[in-house]
Amino acid sequence: MRTIGLFGAVSIGIGGMVGGGIFAVLGEAVSLSHGATALSFFIAGIVALLSAYAYAKLSVTFQSEGGTVVFVDKAFGDNILSGSINLMLWLSYLVTISLYATAFAAYGGTFFSHVSPLLHHALISCAILLPAIINLVSASFVGKSETIIVFIKVSLLLLVIVVGASYVEPSRMSPQNWGSFPSIVTAGMIIFVAYEGFELIANSAEDIKEPNKNLPRAFYISVITVIFLYVAISIITVGNVPEEQLLKAKDYALAIAAKPSLGQIGFTIVASAALLSTFSAINATIYGNARLGYIIAKEGQLPKELADEKGDVPFMGVLYTTVLSLFLANTINLSEIAIIGSAGFLLIFLIVNISAYKLRHTIKANSTLLLLAIVFSFLALITLLFHTYTSNPQAVIIFMGFIIISILFELVYGRLIRKTMCKREY
């Protein structure tokens, strides 16, 4: 039975995007694009909007909780590419959880007079372990309150924007204070992970009322709304706070942005909102990734252990997601996590855009828009990887390692073990 209307579908998209991403990556954008931070968010938003067109068309035709997984399988069938992308998507969500946990630790650390490395890692670990326990005990606990949490997050961001508007100094955003054009574009691609949540609408397609009308509207309304929200918050942040202060506290830049207009109370409110947002996002992503692993495992593309359920909880999926997220979050720094997460989703969206083009007649999509989506997502990925390799090669190496692991896993497990098992069952 379809129970989600247009407002609910838009809330899913906005909630998926305005999770922990904006709290985590705002400082990263400022460090690269400086006074042009708002432009970087706009560029990233255009790439997201083009990909949202492909998702909208695919979601209407192939309504399934599998979302991205189903789209790639429909376009390419059961082969090395689809199998590798499925695992890459699962790994990318692990990186997203790590990003949110690192942001949680950064904002949580502002409530302490001194943050030692031990305390920092303890905060990261708690940010993952507590939501994991909630998922194992009652996966719907935070999910039921997600609409309220989305309302709180968006309301606080709007408060910072409205109250801080009169404090903006336009000179801080003048072209002489911009970074170079490649840096501005690269910043946009690093923060792309702050937009990736719109694809969650596709996973709810089976539950959305009047899907032919509401699915496309939900994608476009949610992405365009978040573009305006991010651009506005970028203007307030850069326009209100001297850059040296933002860079000194770039891991919790959004809380600093509230200080000029709202004082220490504003800083504390935004920091508290960041803790709530990142905690909620981690809880939802752990459950979502465990469900994704369950769906892929049920199709035989991941080990069958991930398809084990206890009640309605994908128990083993939650455990695997928790353990691997803990490892990533505690071994990779915030900048590298943001780069790897953005690169992962840019690659996945590129494949989805190609899938949509391959199925363009079936989904009745505009070829020109799909080609633009392919070109933009490809150039965005290449720009990110090229610039990052010159400044932070380790992040690129880790990302390439994820790709190699995905391909090797599919080659070994998918092409050998799974086929052998199928033959035995037959």
Side-chain angles (χ1 to χ4, degrees), residues 157-174:
L157 289 177
L158 289 174
L159 175 66
V160 173
I161 292 167
V162 172
V163 177
S166 61
Y167 290 80
V168 171
E169 293 185 22
S171 60
R172 289 175 175 158
M173 293 173 285
S174 60

Side-chain angles (χ1 to χ4, degrees), residues 67-78:
T68 300
V69 172
V70 171
F71 303 155
V72 176
D73 285 347
K74 290 290 184 181
F76 296 100
D78 180 16

Side-chain angles (χ1 to χ4, degrees), residues 56-80:
K57 288 296 184 179
L58 288 163
S59 297
V60 169
T61 306
F62 307 109
Q63 297 172 31
S64 168
E65 67 172 343
T68 300
V69 172
V70 171
F71 303 155
V72 176
D73 285 347
K74 290 290 184 181
F76 296 100
D78 180 16
N79 56 31
I80 293 174

Side-chain angles (χ1 to χ4, degrees), residues 228-267:
F228 278 107
L229 190 64
Y230 284 172
V231 168
I233 205 69
S234 302
I235 291 171
I236 298 300
T237 301
V238 175
N240 284 9
V241 185
E243 187 174 304
E244 57 270 19
Q245 289 186 29
L246 289 173
L247 295 181
K248 186 177 180 181
K250 72 175 186 175
D251 289 353
Y252 48 93
L254 195 52
I256 292 290
K259 255 190 167 183
S261 57
L262 297 171
Q264 185 60 38
I265 293 177
F267 180 95

Side-chain angles (χ1 to χ4, degrees), residues 281-363:
I282 291 167
N283 184 84
T285 310
I286 286 177
Y287 179 75
N289 206 40
R291 290 297 302 175
L292 175 64
Y294 172 84
I295 292 168
I296 300 174
K298 288 284 282 186
E299 293 179 352
Q301 294 183 349
L302 282 177
K304 62 181 182 180
E305 288 78 13
L306 284 173
D308 289 345
E309 282 189 303
K310 291 190 176 181
D312 292 330
V313 178
F315 188 81
M316 293 306 297
V318 171
L319 287 184
Y320 277 113
T321 297
T322 302
V323 171
L324 291 173
S325 297
L326 280 169
F327 174 76
L328 290 173
N330 284 289
T331 55
I332 307 175
N333 65 42
L334 178 61
S335 177
E336 291 174 347
I337 292 174
I339 291 167
I340 296 165
S342 291
F345 281 105
L346 281 170
L347 175 61
I348 290 162
F349 288 170
L350 171 61
I351 299 299
V352 170
N353 291 332
I354 294 172
S355 300
Y357 185 80
K358 193 170 186 294
L359 297 166
R360 63 190 182 279
H361 299 302
T362 303
I363 64 177

Side-chain angles (χ1 to χ4, degrees), residues 192-246:
F192 184 79
V193 69
Y195 283 103
E196 60 81 17
F198 69 81
E199 87 279 357
L200 295 177
I201 297 172
N203 299 90
S204 304
E206 290 179 314
D207 299 319
I208 293 175
K209 300 174 184 177
E210 299 182 77
N212 289 355
K213 180 174 67 175
N214 286 336
L215 274 170
R217 289 180 179 179
F219 277 106
Y220 306 143
I221 291 172
S222 60
V223 173
I224 291 171
T225 299
V226 171
I227 290 174
F228 278 107
L229 190 64
Y230 284 172
V231 168
I233 205 69
S234 302
I235 291 171
I236 298 300
T237 301
V238 175
N240 284 9
V241 185
E243 187 174 304
E244 57 270 19
Q245 289 186 29
L246 289 173

